[in-house]
Amino acid sequence: MDRVLVRLIAATSFLAVSLLPALSEPKHGIAMQGEPALPANYAHFDYVNPDAPKGGSVTYCVVGSFDNLNPFILKSLRTTARGMIDTVYGNLVFEPLMQRNYNEPFSLYGLLADSADMDPERKSIEFHLNPNAKWSDGQPVTPEDVLFTYDVFKDKGRPPYSDRMSMIATLEKTGDHSVKFTFNDKANREFPLIIALTPIVPKHAFDKETFDKTTLKPLMGSGPYTVDKVQPGQRIVFKRNPDYWGKDIPSKRGFDNFDRITIEYFLNANAKTEAFKKGICALDDETDPVKRDRDIDFPAFRKGDVKQEYFDTGIPPVVTGFLFNTRLPKFSDPVVRRALGMLYDFEWANKNLFAGKFNRTMSFWQNSELSALGHPADEREKALLAPYPGRVPAEMMDGTWRPPVTDGSGQDRKVLRAAFELLKGAGYHVEDGRMLDPRGNLFGFEIMTSSQDEERLAALYQRTLEKLGIDVTIRSLDGDQIQSRKQRFDFEVLIGTSGFNNSLSPGSEQVGRWGSAAARHEGSFNLAGVADPAVDAAINAMLNARAKEDYVAAVRVLDRLLISGNYIVPMQYNTQQWVAYWSYLEHPQKTPIFGYQLPAWWRKPN
């Protein structure tokens, strides 16, 4: 063959190959930013004891009730039993395709899927199921189970599970142990990780037609535990599956150490505390420092049978406070919300209720580089906000904003006067000691509470508001009633002591909390009813950022918008996690950045 022709064929072949799309290799882990920290041959997460002894039992205690075991549906008269899927106690029954490492901002490693092939543009991801993955009845986990999960969630599930198919162009089985998701233009760069974290349900164990019905029948999953006993509203018992398929894979080594896990339900926090003192509950995680200092002084603690410990975390503090339902006309004006926000007297509360042990919550990503506090807006942020002029005040843009500070007397007139001037500028006035709105109607609202601690904080806020003639009532409901009202957005003001957990890698959960579409979806987490195109744009920029600098800028813009919108009156936080526990429990030496992880604890052998 002519040498020139041979060279031409070779060159043409090389060019053809070079023009093909780059092939990515399946990886043991994926990360939101950059690459996962752990190598492919990692043995276990670094915050577990891989040799933790297995055995014994533990009882956790919660306040509330339950009448349903299916965590994926909206129609629950009360709440779903804890533990089926759970960020605190672990996903005991249902598992996702990949497992989160809580010592990284947002990295996932193999679980039901032992590897994933994500294209560089994140337009698709193919999961390769672990051939050993099995449901608790011994049947294998298959691609058909993944397809069924998304089909039933779309038609019968609750938000956010019901919304995920809207961002998927195609979902297909690509092999005996593989399934591929291809995304449409609605998806963002985080969405492949959200897919990886979505729990999978067994096709052969569920009937699609009845999937959305509440049930107390033990459900089957692939997780390390099965449901053993159910006493509706009182107790659920999980039994460790000795044949659990994943007990030796790296992402599960050192976890799931108890033979039995019981979750007991109590009507209120005081009953739960007393049960802990009697040894019924294994631990107590009281957040009020004054209350826990008082309650910890009991005989078992003095004898050394109960320990208390503080754990440092590396994530932003939980944001708690009074949340306004901005769907209501009375809370539609951000100026009014700003005035109301000025009237929570943190200094008095911290001195008189919390022995000075709390800090003021000011940002949704406080104490991190994602916070707007102390960070003047850079050019990236200004560009994001340019289409929405005037949405963020100057002091918020330059990073100098701080909430008003009172003298701690409970009678600081300068703050009251400043709040009154804002209300006056919005058309409000006082007549016969009562605040009237621009239409001449009495201005006031109801605060819903579900515990004595919440009532105490609501009463403090009520006292200050009444100084300006604002008519505030407090309605105490049990946890089930609160949950039902929240799902229907049937409230004026909620006091949320459970709050908003934020991480160093905020993502799609922000759509559910603050996105305009979620404001209209019953059962969503956008309780405040935020429907702001500027907020939507910031979330979209955050979810599609490629460079870290762009990501940080987008989150800071979101922080500035949420603070400026005054959707919630933030209260206070403590920088450490506190827990008291009976001395038969032990935990790993290392604490990950997300704080202590109960699924990695174990019981001392007898």
Side-chain angles (χ1 to χ4, degrees):
M1 185 180 293
D2 185 273
R3 289 184 179 179
V4 174
L5 181 58
V6 170
R7 289 175 181 172
L8 181 59
I9 293 172
T12 304
S13 300
F14 174 79
L15 179 62
V17 170
S18 66
L19 291 176
L20 289 173
L23 295 176
S24 56
E25 290 293 326
K27 294 184 177 181
H28 70 292
I30 55 178
M32 183 61 199
Q33 301 287 336
E35 295 294 326
L38 301 180
N41 63 346
Y42 81 101
H44 55 81
F45 293 155
D46 61 358
Y47 55 88
V48 304
N49 173 9
D51 300 316
K54 306 286 187 182
S57 63
V58 67
T59 297
Y60 300 124
C61 298
V62 297
V63 174
S65 185
F66 72 93
D67 69 349
N68 175 45
L69 299 189
N70 187 342
F72 309 113
I73 63 172
L74 184 60
K75 296 178 182 178
S76 175
L77 295 176
R78 298 180 182 175
T79 56
T80 301
R82 299 288 301 270
M84 305 298 288
I85 54 170
D86 206 296
T87 56
V88 176
Y89 307 120
N91 295 328
L92 304 182
V93 175
F94 297 105
E95 295 181 309
L97 293 167
M98 304 189 84
Q99 176 76 15
R100 188 165 192 168
N101 177 6
Y102 284 102
N103 206 30
E104 298 179 58
F106 196 4
S107 292
L108 308 177
Y109 296 84
L111 186 56
L112 288 178
D114 56 19
S115 62
D117 183 1
M118 182 167 62
D119 90 273
E121 296 301 312
R122 302 196 177 190
K123 297 298 184 183
S124 68
I125 187 168
E126 186 174 29
F127 295 98
H128 304 282
L129 299 178
N130 189 318
N132 298 318
K134 291 181 173 58
W135 303 106
S136 60
D137 65 356
Q139 292 200 37
V141 177
T142 67
E144 286 78 11
D145 293 315
V146 180
L147 271 59
F148 171 78
T149 296
Y150 281 83
D151 179 52
V152 75
F153 282 180
K154 175 176 66 73
D155 293 338
K156 300 284 188 174
R158 66 169 174 84
Y161 304 111
S162 59
D163 302 330
R164 291 180 182 167
M165 277 301 293
S166 67
M167 289 180 270
I168 298 171
T170 60
L171 170 54
E172 56 188 324
K173 175 181 178 180
T174 53
D176 290 341
H177 301 288
S178 58
V179 60
K180 183 176 181 179
F181 294 78
T182 302
F183 308 119
N184 59 32
D185 292 340
K186 295 180 182 179
N188 52 64
R189 289 181 60 79
E190 189 197 41
F191 194 55
L193 281 77
I194 299 303
I195 294 295
L197 276 180
T198 301
I200 304 301
V201 300
K203 179 180 180 180
H204 68 280
F206 283 93
D207 179 356
K208 182 178 177 180
E209 292 304 312
T210 59
F211 186 83
D212 58 350
K213 307 298 183 184
T214 59
T215 181
L216 289 168
K217 177 184 177 182
L219 300 177
M220 181 179 66
S222 63
Y225 290 84
T226 58
V227 177
D228 187 37
K229 296 179 182 178
V230 178
Q231 289 181 259
Q234 299 178 44
R235 177 183 302 109
I236 182 168
V237 181
F238 299 91
K239 179 173 63 176
R240 188 157 61 88
N241 180 5
D243 300 318
Y244 172 52
W245 73 272
K247 57 188 174 185
D248 294 321
I249 66 172
S251 66
K252 293 297 286 182
R253 196 167 292 145
F255 293 103
D256 314 316
N257 301 313
F258 301 105
D259 284 343
R260 294 172 70 84
I261 295 176
T262 300
I263 300 178
E264 292 273 358
Y265 284 76
F266 292 85
L267 293 177
N268 56 60
N270 287 337
K272 182 168 78 79
T273 299
E274 291 305 311
F276 168 67
K277 292 180 180 180
K278 294 175 181 177
I280 297 172
C281 313
L283 57 84
D284 181 29
D285 57 357
E286 175 61 55
T287 57
D288 183 334
V290 175
K291 188 174 185 296
R292 67 194 183 205
D293 287 350
R294 181 189 69 229
D295 291 341
I296 197 65
D297 187 20
F298 64 102
F301 175 73
R302 292 193 292 269
K303 288 171 55 181
D305 293 334
V306 169
K307 302 178 181 179
Q308 66 172 340
E309 195 165 349
Y310 292 87
F311 296 86
D312 292 313
T313 69
I315 58 174
V318 176
V319 178
T320 63
F322 300 90
L323 182 139
F324 302 116
N325 187 350
T326 65
R327 301 171 186 83
L328 305 176
K330 67 175 66 180
F331 297 128
S332 62
D333 187 344
V335 174
V336 172
R337 300 196 301 268
R338 181 184 176 193
L340 296 174
M342 297 171 65
L343 296 173
Y344 176 67
D345 195 339
F346 163 75
E347 285 70 30
W348 189 94
N350 196 34
K351 180 174 68 175
N352 292 280
L353 300 182
F354 305 120
K357 295 184 178 182
F358 275 90
N359 299 305
R360 181 69 186 268
T361 305
M362 296 179 280
S363 161
F364 287 82
W365 287 276
Q366 202 154 331
N367 303 333
S368 80
E369 65 175 341
L370 303 176
S371 174
L373 297 181
H375 295 115
D378 62 16
E379 294 306 313
R380 293 180 179 84
E381 294 185 58
K382 292 176 182 177
L384 282 173
L385 286 167
Y388 312 99
R391 198 63 60 91
V392 176
E395 61 179 350
M396 185 62 66
M397 288 296 288
D398 64 23
T400 62
W401 174 86
R402 296 294 185 275
V405 177
T406 73
D407 59 14
S409 67
Q411 305 284 340
D412 195 328
R413 293 187 177 277
K414 72 177 186 299
V415 175
L416 290 169
R417 189 178 303 111
F420 176 72
E421 289 301 322
L422 281 178
L423 290 169
K424 185 177 177 181
Y428 290 70
H429 66 283
V430 175
E431 188 175 299
D432 297 328
R434 302 188 305 168
M435 181 70 70
L436 303 182
D437 68 18
R439 294 171 297 280
N441 299 316
L442 179 66
F443 178 58
F445 52 84
E446 177 186 86
I447 302 174
M448 288 202 314
T449 66
S450 61
S451 69
Q452 290 182 345
D453 290 339
E454 290 185 357
E455 287 180 39
R456 183 173 56 165
L457 290 165
L460 165 64
Y461 193 35
Q462 177 190 47
R463 187 167 66 243
T464 307
L465 291 163
E466 287 179 341
K467 295 181 189 301
L468 290 185
I470 300 172
D471 183 36
V472 176
T473 58
I474 299 172
R475 180 185 291 270
S476 298
L477 301 173
D478 63 34
D480 302 336
Q481 293 171 312
I482 289 278
Q483 181 65 22
S484 177
R485 297 274 290 268
K486 284 165 66 175
Q487 285 187 329
R488 304 194 311 271
F489 307 132
D490 181 18
F491 66 90
E492 294 187 325
V493 175
L494 282 174
I495 175 170
T497 54
S498 57
F500 295 100
N501 290 286
N502 280 314
S503 73
L504 296 174
S505 183
S508 294
E509 77 284 351
Q510 304 301 316
V511 177
R513 290 180 185 177
W514 312 112
S516 297
R520 300 184 295 271
H521 286 180
E522 184 176 296
S524 83
F525 293 105
N526 188 348
L527 297 171
V530 179
D532 182 352
V535 169
D536 294 337
I539 295 174
N540 186 58
M542 174 189 72
L543 292 174
N544 289 288
R546 294 172 178 267
K548 182 179 179 182
E549 295 79 5
D550 294 331
Y551 179 77
V552 171
V555 180
R556 286 183 184 171
V557 166
L558 179 59
D559 198 28
R560 296 184 206 279
L561 287 165
L562 294 178
I563 298 170
S564 303
N566 298 285
Y567 303 107
I568 186 172
V569 182
M571 294 191 293
Q572 55 274 326
Y573 72 92
N574 193 296
T575 57
Q576 293 179 309
Q577 289 180 319
W578 175 91
V579 64
Y581 58 94
W582 285 82
S583 58
Y584 56 76
L585 291 182
E586 289 191 327
H587 61 77
Q589 292 184 350
K590 181 168 183 174
T591 302
I593 59 175
F594 279 81
Y596 67 87
Q597 301 295 308
L598 290 179
W601 289 38
W602 65 91
R603 186 164 185 141
K604 293 179 183 178
N606 292 330

